[in-house]
Amino acid sequence: SKAIELKQDFSEAFYNRGNTYSEMKQYDKALEDYSKAIEYKSDYAKAYNNRGNIFAEKKQYDKALEDYSKAIELKQDFAEAYNNRGGTHNELKQYDKALADFTKAIELKLDDADAFYNRGITYDKMKQYDKALEDYSKAIELKPDYANAYNNRGYTYLHLKDYENAKKDFDKALELDPNDENIHDSIGEYYLETGDYQKAIEYFTKAIELGITEPEVYDKRAKAYDAVGEPEKAKADRETAAVLSNNNPDDKK
């Protein structure tokens, strides 16, 4: 009937506008529109998934999980929703559940570089470094310009004290994305570990200039300042780190 057709149109219109607000990072407006889309079409799996993304951005993880689970219930082959739910489980340190979701996403979509990358992150957090390397490598194979995957694989090599491969991956990541603050942070950590403290300071400083706000970066730069005999700068960085830690108690790398 005409009324049902209109409802479908309204639903689609709200969904599309929600996507636009989401891209503009106007999350409250996006939330309203996705909720409206669901109101008009209660089985709208994509709207549940995208509303889950907004809840995740707002760190309302329980609500995000609820929406992703609803999206999966409505569309059982929804690889993206499994991937997103896995990411939320990672944030909540529910690593076994995250692994299950990423593995399911990969089963549903074998060429999903993001799912391999995300599962690599989970293995990293579980200290299963060989499996993490495997997944990051697969992500790179599927998406050769995947700067974050090179960066994370490099970071895993760093954990394993394989400095040669770590440096290769960091260099490649930086070539692909020269303005990524996390890549500069990783290279800073590489130089800190290998004893080139001036270089470490240079890269941590660049990461900070590019907008990184994790207190650990200031702590690491403080160590490098200590090592080159600049205790005042080290002290200032530790004070900044303490302030940032108090402001972002959940913000840990």
Side-chain angles (χ1 to χ4, degrees):
S1 77
K2 195 74 185 160
I4 288 170
E5 274 176 37
L6 272 174
K7 273 190 169 185
Q8 292 278 28
D9 289 346
F10 279 140
S11 180
E12 201 71 27
F14 278 116
Y15 173 78
N16 289 333
R17 193 173 68 176
N19 288 342
T20 304
Y21 280 134
S22 177
E23 281 169 25
M24 294 164 70
K25 300 195 188 318
Q26 296 189 26
Y27 296 131
D28 290 333
K29 287 181 176 176
L31 206 54
E32 271 177 44
D33 276 355
Y34 291 137
S35 297
K36 275 284 181 194
I38 289 163
E39 205 178 294
Y40 282 111
K41 187 182 173 190
S42 60
D43 62 349
Y44 205 161
K46 286 197 299 185
Y48 277 108
N49 176 65
N50 288 17
R51 190 174 70 174
N53 290 342
I54 302 299
F55 282 130
E57 284 288 348
K58 291 163 74 71
K59 299 191 189 299
Q60 296 180 26
Y61 296 126
D62 289 344
K63 287 182 178 176
L65 287 177
E66 216 173 283
D67 271 358
Y68 294 140
S69 296
K70 183 68 179 174
I72 289 163
E73 181 192 312
L74 291 166
K75 188 175 186 291
Q76 288 173 13
D77 62 349
F78 202 165
E80 189 187 333
Y82 277 107
N83 198 4
N84 291 335
R85 191 173 68 178
T88 302
H89 283 310
N90 257 355
E91 292 292 342
L92 293 167
K93 299 182 171 51
Q94 298 169 349
Y95 299 132
D96 288 336
K97 287 180 178 177
L99 273 187
D101 275 348
F102 293 137
T103 301
K104 183 69 178 174
I106 289 164
E107 280 170 18
L108 290 166
K109 196 178 173 201
L110 293 169
D111 62 348
D112 189 345
D114 290 338
F116 280 105
Y117 169 75
N118 287 332
R119 193 173 67 176
I121 290 172
T122 309
Y123 280 131
D124 243 344
K125 288 180 183 294
M126 297 171 85
K127 296 185 170 41
Q128 295 187 32
Y129 296 128
D130 289 344
K131 287 181 178 178
L133 288 176
E134 244 174 75
D135 274 354
Y136 292 141
S137 297
K138 186 67 182 173
I140 289 163
E141 182 190 314
L142 291 165
K143 191 176 165 187
D145 62 349
Y146 206 156
N148 286 343
Y150 276 107
N151 183 47
N152 280 32
R153 190 174 70 177
Y155 206 76
T156 305
Y157 280 129
L158 199 58
H159 279 307
L160 295 167
K161 312 284 185 211
D162 182 346
Y163 297 121
E164 188 183 338
N165 278 316
K167 186 65 167 59
K168 273 186 205 164
D169 274 354
F170 292 147
D171 286 346
K172 183 66 178 174
L174 195 63
E175 178 195 315
L176 291 166
D177 194 351
N179 294 313
D180 185 286
E181 64 269 28
N182 291 310
I183 295 168
H184 284 86
D185 172 40
S186 295
I187 297 172
E189 197 155 331
Y190 163 82
Y191 282 121
L192 184 65
E193 279 205 26
T194 54
D196 191 337
Y197 301 115
Q198 286 295 356
K199 281 265 195 187
I201 290 164
E202 189 186 310
Y203 279 96
F204 290 138
T205 301
K206 185 67 177 169
I208 290 162
E209 281 170 11
L210 288 167
I212 205 163
T213 57
E214 275 95 350
E216 292 88 347
V217 182
Y218 287 92
D219 273 328
K220 288 182 287 195
R221 191 172 67 172
K223 282 181 193 166
Y225 276 132
D226 274 334
V228 297
E230 297 200 51
E232 288 306 311
K233 287 181 177 176
K235 183 170 178 270
D237 268 359
R238 288 198 175 92
E239 284 167 4
T240 304
V243 170
L244 288 170
S245 288
N246 290 335
N247 291 346
N248 302 305
D250 298 329
D251 203 10
K252 294 280 176 210
K253 187 168 177 183

PDB file of all heavy atoms in Angstrom, residues 118-131:
ATOM      1  N   ASN A 118      41.743  -6.591  12.228  1.00  0.00           N
ATOM      2  CA  ASN A 118      41.157  -6.496  13.574  1.00  0.00           C
ATOM      3  C   ASN A 118      41.431  -7.750  14.407  1.00  0.00           C
ATOM      4  O   ASN A 118      41.685  -7.669  15.604  1.00  0.00           O
ATOM      5  CB  ASN A 118      39.647  -6.245  13.478  1.00  0.00           C
ATOM      6  CG  ASN A 118      39.346  -4.831  13.028  1.00  0.00           C
ATOM      7  OD1 ASN A 118      40.125  -3.921  13.257  1.00  0.00           O
ATOM      8  ND2 ASN A 118      38.214  -4.636  12.373  1.00  0.00           N
ATOM      9  N   ARG A 119      41.377  -8.913  13.734  1.00  0.00           N
ATOM     10  CA  ARG A 119      41.681 -10.146  14.472  1.00  0.00           C
ATOM     11  C   ARG A 119      43.155 -10.155  14.883  1.00  0.00           C
ATOM     12  O   ARG A 119      43.510 -10.624  15.967  1.00  0.00           O
ATOM     13  CB  ARG A 119      41.328 -11.391  13.647  1.00  0.00           C
ATOM     14  CG  ARG A 119      41.330 -12.662  14.503  1.00  0.00           C
ATOM     15  CD  ARG A 119      40.827 -13.869  13.749  1.00  0.00           C
ATOM     16  NE  ARG A 119      41.715 -14.285  12.663  1.00  0.00           N
ATOM     17  CZ  ARG A 119      41.536 -15.354  11.900  1.00  0.00           C
ATOM     18  NH1 ARG A 119      40.466 -16.124  12.091  1.00  0.00           N
ATOM     19  NH2 ARG A 119      42.387 -15.653  10.938  1.00  0.00           N
ATOM     20  N   GLY A 120      44.006  -9.572  14.023  1.00  0.00           N
ATOM     21  CA  GLY A 120      45.421  -9.424  14.376  1.00  0.00           C
ATOM     22  C   GLY A 120      45.592  -8.607  15.646  1.00  0.00           C
ATOM     23  O   GLY A 120      46.403  -8.955  16.521  1.00  0.00           O
ATOM     24  N   ILE A 121      44.824  -7.528  15.763  1.00  0.00           N
ATOM     25  CA  ILE A 121      44.878  -6.695  16.972  1.00  0.00           C
ATOM     26  C   ILE A 121      44.516  -7.528  18.204  1.00  0.00           C
ATOM     27  O   ILE A 121      45.167  -7.447  19.246  1.00  0.00           O
ATOM     28  CB  ILE A 121      43.920  -5.476  16.841  1.00  0.00           C
ATOM     29  CG1 ILE A 121      44.455  -4.497  15.796  1.00  0.00           C
ATOM     30  CG2 ILE A 121      43.728  -4.776  18.192  1.00  0.00           C
ATOM     31  CD1 ILE A 121      43.492  -3.362  15.456  1.00  0.00           C
ATOM     32  N   THR A 122      43.468  -8.351  18.060  1.00  0.00           N
ATOM     33  CA  THR A 122      43.032  -9.188  19.192  1.00  0.00           C
ATOM     34  C   THR A 122      44.133 -10.167  19.585  1.00  0.00           C
ATOM     35  O   THR A 122      44.448 -10.308  20.768  1.00  0.00           O
ATOM     36  CB  THR A 122      41.747  -9.960  18.823  1.00  0.00           C
ATOM     37  OG1 THR A 122      40.796  -9.036  18.307  1.00  0.00           O
ATOM     38  CG2 THR A 122      41.153 -10.633  20.044  1.00  0.00           C
ATOM     39  N   TYR A 123      44.719 -10.839  18.590  1.00  0.00           N
ATOM     40  CA  TYR A 123      45.814 -11.770  18.901  1.00  0.00           C
ATOM     41  C   TYR A 123      46.976 -11.033  19.580  1.00  0.00           C
ATOM     42  O   TYR A 123      47.596 -11.554  20.519  1.00  0.00           O
ATOM     43  CB  TYR A 123      46.307 -12.472  17.635  1.00  0.00           C
ATOM     44  CG  TYR A 123      45.443 -13.625  17.181  1.00  0.00           C
ATOM     45  CD1 TYR A 123      45.022 -13.738  15.857  1.00  0.00           C
ATOM     46  CD2 TYR A 123      45.063 -14.626  18.077  1.00  0.00           C
ATOM     47  CE1 TYR A 123      44.239 -14.809  15.438  1.00  0.00           C
ATOM     48  CE2 TYR A 123      44.283 -15.702  17.670  1.00  0.00           C
ATOM     49  CZ  TYR A 123      43.872 -15.779  16.350  1.00  0.00           C
ATOM     50  OH  TYR A 123      43.096 -16.846  15.942  1.00  0.00           O
ATOM     51  N   ASP A 124      47.261  -9.819  19.106  1.00  0.00           N
ATOM     52  CA  ASP A 124      48.298  -8.996  19.729  1.00  0.00           C
ATOM     53  C   ASP A 124      48.009  -8.779  21.209  1.00  0.00           C
ATOM     54  O   ASP A 124      48.884  -8.938  22.065  1.00  0.00           O
ATOM     55  CB  ASP A 124      48.338  -7.616  19.048  1.00  0.00           C
ATOM     56  CG  ASP A 124      49.664  -7.359  18.364  1.00  0.00           C
ATOM     57  OD1 ASP A 124      50.628  -8.082  18.661  1.00  0.00           O
ATOM     58  OD2 ASP A 124      49.731  -6.445  17.527  1.00  0.00           O
ATOM     59  N   LYS A 125      46.777  -8.407  21.505  1.00  0.00           N
ATOM     60  CA  LYS A 125      46.390  -8.107  22.885  1.00  0.00           C
ATOM     61  C   LYS A 125      46.465  -9.374  23.754  1.00  0.00           C
ATOM     62  O   LYS A 125      46.686  -9.300  24.952  1.00  0.00           O
ATOM     63  CB  LYS A 125      44.989  -7.486  22.925  1.00  0.00           C
ATOM     64  CG  LYS A 125      44.968  -6.052  22.386  1.00  0.00           C
ATOM     65  CD  LYS A 125      43.587  -5.448  22.423  1.00  0.00           C
ATOM     66  CE  LYS A 125      43.544  -4.064  21.821  1.00  0.00           C
ATOM     67  NZ  LYS A 125      44.294  -3.050  22.563  1.00  0.00           N
ATOM     68  N   MET A 126      46.253 -10.524  23.106  1.00  0.00           N
ATOM     69  CA  MET A 126      46.335 -11.797  23.827  1.00  0.00           C
ATOM     70  C   MET A 126      47.776 -12.338  23.858  1.00  0.00           C
ATOM     71  O   MET A 126      48.019 -13.455  24.303  1.00  0.00           O
ATOM     72  CB  MET A 126      45.404 -12.819  23.161  1.00  0.00           C
ATOM     73  CG  MET A 126      43.940 -12.421  23.224  1.00  0.00           C
ATOM     74  SD  MET A 126      42.886 -13.499  22.199  1.00  0.00           S
ATOM     75  CE  MET A 126      42.594 -14.860  23.359  1.00  0.00           C
ATOM     76  N   LYS A 127      48.704 -11.530  23.304  1.00  0.00           N
ATOM     77  CA  LYS A 127      50.130 -11.893  23.230  1.00  0.00           C
ATOM     78  C   LYS A 127      50.386 -13.138  22.384  1.00  0.00           C
ATOM     79  O   LYS A 127      51.378 -13.848  22.583  1.00  0.00           O
ATOM     80  CB  LYS A 127      50.738 -12.035  24.628  1.00  0.00           C
ATOM     81  CG  LYS A 127      50.752 -10.725  25.422  1.00  0.00           C
ATOM     82  CD  LYS A 127      51.459 -10.870  26.752  1.00  0.00           C
ATOM     83  CE  LYS A 127      51.717  -9.553  27.460  1.00  0.00           C
ATOM     84  NZ  LYS A 127      50.645  -8.558  27.419  1.00  0.00           N
ATOM     85  N   GLN A 128      49.470 -13.413  21.446  1.00  0.00           N
ATOM     86  CA  GLN A 128      49.678 -14.520  20.495  1.00  0.00           C
ATOM     87  C   GLN A 128      50.291 -13.906  19.231  1.00  0.00           C
ATOM     88  O   GLN A 128      49.622 -13.714  18.210  1.00  0.00           O
ATOM     89  CB  GLN A 128      48.351 -15.228  20.206  1.00  0.00           C
ATOM     90  CG  GLN A 128      47.784 -15.922  21.446  1.00  0.00           C
ATOM     91  CD  GLN A 128      46.562 -16.756  21.138  1.00  0.00           C
ATOM     92  OE1 GLN A 128      46.425 -17.313  20.047  1.00  0.00           O
ATOM     93  NE2 GLN A 128      45.651 -16.859  22.105  1.00  0.00           N
ATOM     94  N   TYR A 129      51.571 -13.567  19.341  1.00  0.00           N
ATOM     95  CA  TYR A 129      52.184 -12.716  18.329  1.00  0.00           C
ATOM     96  C   TYR A 129      52.319 -13.378  16.961  1.00  0.00           C
ATOM     97  O   TYR A 129      52.189 -12.708  15.934  1.00  0.00           O
ATOM     98  CB  TYR A 129      53.553 -12.225  18.833  1.00  0.00           C
ATOM     99  CG  TYR A 129      53.439 -11.344  20.061  1.00  0.00           C
ATOM    100  CD1 TYR A 129      54.191 -11.603  21.211  1.00  0.00           C
ATOM    101  CD2 TYR A 129      52.560 -10.264  20.091  1.00  0.00           C
ATOM    102  CE1 TYR A 129      54.080 -10.807  22.341  1.00  0.00           C
ATOM    103  CE2 TYR A 129      52.441  -9.457  21.223  1.00  0.00           C
ATOM    104  CZ  TYR A 129      53.198  -9.742  22.337  1.00  0.00           C
ATOM    105  OH  TYR A 129      53.087  -8.957  23.449  1.00  0.00           O
ATOM    106  N   ASP A 130      52.574 -14.690  16.928  1.00  0.00           N
ATOM    107  CA  ASP A 130      52.709 -15.369  15.631  1.00  0.00           C
ATOM    108  C   ASP A 130      51.402 -15.297  14.850  1.00  0.00           C
ATOM    109  O   ASP A 130      51.396 -15.055  13.636  1.00  0.00           O
ATOM    110  CB  ASP A 130      53.136 -16.829  15.821  1.00  0.00           C
ATOM    111  CG  ASP A 130      54.583 -16.934  16.292  1.00  0.00           C
ATOM    112  OD1 ASP A 130      55.310 -15.922  16.158  1.00  0.00           O
ATOM    113  OD2 ASP A 130      54.980 -17.993  16.789  1.00  0.00           O
ATOM    114  N   LYS A 131      50.293 -15.497  15.553  1.00  0.00           N
ATOM    115  CA  LYS A 131      48.989 -15.430  14.883  1.00  0.00           C
ATOM    116  C   LYS A 131      48.677 -13.996  14.455  1.00  0.00           C
ATOM    117  O   LYS A 131      48.071 -13.770  13.402  1.00  0.00           O
ATOM    118  CB  LYS A 131      47.893 -15.973  15.803  1.00  0.00           C
ATOM    119  CG  LYS A 131      47.935 -17.477  15.958  1.00  0.00           C
ATOM    120  CD  LYS A 131      46.822 -17.984  16.854  1.00  0.00           C
ATOM    121  CE  LYS A 131      46.848 -19.516  16.947  1.00  0.00           C
ATOM    122  NZ  LYS A 131      45.820 -20.029  17.852  1.00  0.00           N
TER     123      LYS A 131
END
